[in-house]
Amino acid sequence: MPNSGRGVRSATAIPWCWGATAAEADADYPCDGLIARPELRLHRAIGIQASASTVYRWVCQLKVAPYSYDLIDNRGRRSPRTLTPGVEHLAIGQRWMVFSICDFEPGAHVTGQVLPGPGRVFGPMAATYASQARSDSSCRLVVRLTIAAATGLRQIGPTALAWGDLVMMRKQLRTIKQLAERTPRSSCPG
């Protein structure tokens, strides 16, 4: 796997990267610099025929449910197929998936650092979900996951981690795409 030149392994091939362009993988994201001694960056991206504000609203919805494989990630409960009122009101320190929100820009991105419990399993990591407008009615949802060097019991290896993340996040992004594309624009002003 090539070195990005910043001391962090990065690549544009599966399982390290799915759907992201080389330019998206090389870009800077708010999660950069949040992890001491980062070793690995994973990139996932998908084009969505919905406004960036609509996709951002579904990214906020990740506070409610994971939107991947609900049997595995959500104890068998189905992730909601409609937007939950008020979920878009983010605050630093709020739980968002396995992360604590540490930065956000309405309509653009949500960034978090792993919570202590999941951090014992996955190790130090941070993620940014960025909704990047391409037009008034289309955008790219780009995710960067920055992971520290694995040690101890959680040292499953970067390849296994990348494959596991790819399976879950690909489902998550495809679900967000499907839901965002059928969401009326009036539901997500901005």
Side-chain angles (χ1 to χ4, degrees):
M1 185 170 39
N3 188 314
S4 69
R6 297 181 200 153
V8 180
R9 290 186 298 169
S10 187
T12 56
I14 289 178
W16 318 105
C17 183
W18 174 80
T21 66
E24 288 168 337
D26 286 341
D28 293 324
Y29 294 89
C31 66
D32 296 342
L34 293 177
I35 300 300
R37 297 185 355 247
E39 179 179 291
L40 177 65
R41 286 192 181 129
L42 304 178
H43 299 94
R44 282 66 172 105
I46 194 165
I48 302 176
Q49 294 301 309
S51 69
S53 62
T54 298
V55 172
Y56 172 82
R57 182 59 183 81
W58 280 102
V59 169
C60 293
Q61 189 75 14
L62 294 171
K63 285 175 28 183
V64 175
Y67 290 91
S68 59
Y69 293 100
D70 287 335
L71 220 79
I72 298 167
D73 262 3
N74 206 23
R75 299 181 180 149
R77 295 183 310 260
R78 187 167 195 226
S79 295
R81 294 316 198 232
T82 57
L83 293 169
T84 304
V87 167
E88 72 276 16
H89 302 296
L90 302 181
I92 303 300
Q94 282 180 331
R95 184 183 183 107
W96 173 66
M97 297 182 291
V98 297
F99 301 99
S100 173
I101 295 173
C102 57
D103 191 14
F104 64 92
E105 182 181 332
H109 78 86
V110 180
T111 297
Q113 284 189 278
V114 72
L115 292 162
R120 284 190 286 280
V121 176
F122 300 111
M125 66 179 182
T128 294
Y129 281 58
S131 177
Q132 302 171 345
R134 295 293 181 244
S135 71
D136 286 347
S137 60
S138 71
C139 72
R140 297 274 295 160
L141 177 55
V142 182
V143 180
R144 171 173 286 166
L145 188 62
T146 301
I147 304 164
T151 59
L153 294 175
R154 61 182 176 74
Q155 193 169 5
I156 63 170
T159 303
L161 178 64
W163 277 111
D165 176 75
L166 173 63
V167 168
M168 300 306 282
M169 196 173 294
R170 189 174 82 166
K171 170 67 169 159
Q172 180 187 69
L173 296 185
R174 286 180 169 173
T175 302
I176 289 172
K177 172 183 171 70
Q178 175 190 35
L179 294 169
E181 287 180 348
R182 72 174 200 196
T183 299
R185 190 165 183 145
S186 61
S187 300
C188 304

